[in-house]
């Protein structure tokens, strides 16, 4: 009887923990997209007022917003799969790969803009954070795929 209660509590705690993590991820994704949209809106206002003389700044803000929106959308797809208790699947690995590719692309695009547009100005540097995070996520997606393959092989041998 006590073992059954302990098992029920553990399953309930696991579900609550999973829901809490998913809620935190949703809030983080939503806040990131809203923050980037606000930064782009403020840059557009500065551009229209004439106080922002650098049009490339609008391009980098647009890249940031696009990357955040793509990553948030894919994160919501991952959350949907996790709610269905499908965590270690090829589909989630693919979503993580796409998130990594989007972040890497954003980092590369920002560094290209910084290298070619601001080559005379030492204060402008590319944003390496997107590039590093994107590459790290691609590495995690590879590990995810290896784990899925190992899980499938284990299920076949048992």
């Amino acid at each position: 009887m006590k073992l059954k209660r302990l098992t029920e509590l553990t399953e309930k705690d696991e579900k609550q923990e999973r829901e809490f993590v998913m809620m935190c991820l949703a809030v983080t994704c939503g806040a990131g997209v809203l923050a980037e949209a606000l930064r782009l809106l403020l840059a557009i206002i500065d551009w229209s007022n004439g106080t922002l003389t650098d049009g490339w700044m609008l391009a980098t803000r647009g890249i940031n917003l696009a990357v955040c929106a793509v990553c948030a959308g894919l994160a919501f797809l991952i959350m949907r799969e996790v709610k269905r208790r499908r965590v270690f699947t090829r589909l989630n690995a693919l979503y993580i790969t796409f998130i990594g590719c989007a972040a890497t692309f954003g980092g590369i695009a920002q560094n290209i803009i910084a290298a070619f547009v601001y080559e005379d100005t030492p204060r402008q540097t590319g944003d390496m954070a997107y590039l590093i995070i994107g590459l790290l996520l691609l590495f995690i997606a590879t590990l995810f795929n290896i784990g899925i393959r190992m899980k499938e092989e284990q299920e076949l041998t048992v």
Side-chain angles (χ1 to χ4, degrees), residues 63-64 67 100-112 127 130-131:
I63 290 169
N64 283 347
V67 168
C101 288
T104 302
F105 169 76
I108 289 171
Q110 288 181 4
N111 283 308
I112 287 172
D127 191 4
Y130 276 124
L131 189 60

Side-chain angles (χ1 to χ4, degrees), residues 40 42-45 47 52 54-63:
L40 179 61
L42 291 174
I44 290 171
I45 290 171
W47 177 266
L52 179 67
D54 189 5
W56 291 104
M57 183 63 69
L58 289 177
T60 58
R61 296 283 187 246
I63 290 169

Side-chain angles (χ1 to χ4, degrees), residues 30-154:
V33 171
L34 287 176
E36 287 301 329
L38 182 62
R39 288 177 70 191
L40 179 61
L41 181 64
L42 291 174
I44 290 171
I45 290 171
D46 285 347
W47 177 266
S48 64
N49 290 338
T51 55
L52 179 67
T53 58
D54 189 5
W56 291 104
M57 183 63 69
L58 289 177
T60 58
R61 296 283 187 246
I63 290 169
N64 283 347
L65 179 59
V67 168
C68 284
V70 167
C71 292
L74 292 169
F76 280 113
L77 291 174
I78 291 172
M79 287 189 304
R80 185 183 67 186
E81 292 296 311
V82 170
K83 280 185 179 181
R84 295 178 182 163
R85 301 193 70 153
R86 296 187 295 224
V87 179
F88 296 104
T89 63
R90 296 229 181 258
L91 188 60
N92 283 344
L94 185 65
Y95 291 153
I96 294 170
T97 301
F98 286 156
I99 292 172
C101 288
T104 302
F105 169 76
I108 289 171
Q110 288 181 4
N111 283 308
I112 287 172
I113 289 172
F116 289 116
V117 175
Y118 303 114
E119 61 187 28
D120 297 335
T121 310
R123 67 178 175 82
Q124 291 286 346
T125 59
D127 191 4
M128 295 298 290
Y130 276 124
L131 189 60
I132 293 169
I133 290 171
L135 293 174
L136 181 64
L137 284 170
L138 289 173
F139 176 71
I140 290 171
T142 303
L143 292 177
F144 215 79
N145 279 321
I146 291 169
I148 291 168
R149 195 174 328 124
M150 290 172 61
K151 178 183 169 193
E152 289 172 352
E153 288 176 4
Q154 182 184 19

Side-chain angles (χ1 to χ4, degrees), residues 1-17:
M1 187 69 172
K2 288 182 180 181
L3 183 61
K4 183 178 178 182
R5 283 188 204 159
L6 182 62
T7 306
E8 288 174 2
L9 286 176
T10 304
E11 289 175 2
K12 190 181 287 187
D13 290 343
E14 180 183 319
K15 182 179 178 185
Q16 287 177 344
E17 181 181 355

